[in-house]
Amino acid sequence: MPSQLASQPWTDHVFKAVAELRAQSGPAGENLDSRQREDLDRLVSASAALEALLSDPGNGSRNDPEEDDATRQHDIRNVLGAMRGYAELLIEELDNL
């Protein structure tokens, strides 16, 4: 993780939880069925997208810093919402085993 993420405790929790889930699923998700593996892969991809958003705060394309910040916050909330959705799908699928 980039060093600037360490100053944000919630990001450490998110990335740690995704890493632990990935580790518990076995190499290449071998302990999961195909739907669960797809959801886990999407969760891991969303985690990477979140890390990219958080590690490059100056990547705005507009001249208005407030608008850049609002857009970035919106993008972060979208990724977090996707991660939550994938995690909920995994929980439901694992509960049905």
Side-chain angles (χ1 to χ4, degrees):
M1 269 180 277
S3 61
Q4 65 197 57
L5 296 180
S7 65
Q8 301 176 26
W10 68 270
T11 60
D12 289 340
H13 293 293
V14 169
F15 297 130
K16 182 179 177 185
V18 171
E20 288 175 4
L21 184 59
R22 187 72 158 158
Q24 290 179 5
S25 69
E30 66 186 18
N31 299 332
L32 304 174
D33 68 26
S34 62
R35 284 181 37 197
Q36 293 165 340
R37 195 171 24 257
E38 288 173 10
D39 289 337
L40 179 62
D41 290 343
R42 289 180 184 125
L43 180 61
V44 170
S45 294
S47 175
L50 177 63
E51 189 168 357
L53 281 168
L54 292 171
S55 66
D56 191 11
N59 194 18
S61 60
R62 297 174 181 84
N63 293 330
D64 183 0
E66 287 183 23
E67 190 173 342
D68 285 342
D69 189 46
T71 300
R72 186 167 172 266
Q73 288 178 17
H74 178 266
D75 292 344
I76 290 169
R77 283 192 301 271
N78 281 343
V79 172
L80 287 171
M83 292 176 73
R84 179 180 176 186
Y86 297 135
E88 288 173 353
L89 286 171
L90 281 169
I91 290 168
E92 286 176 16
E93 291 169 2
L94 293 173
D95 284 345
N96 291 330
L97 291 179

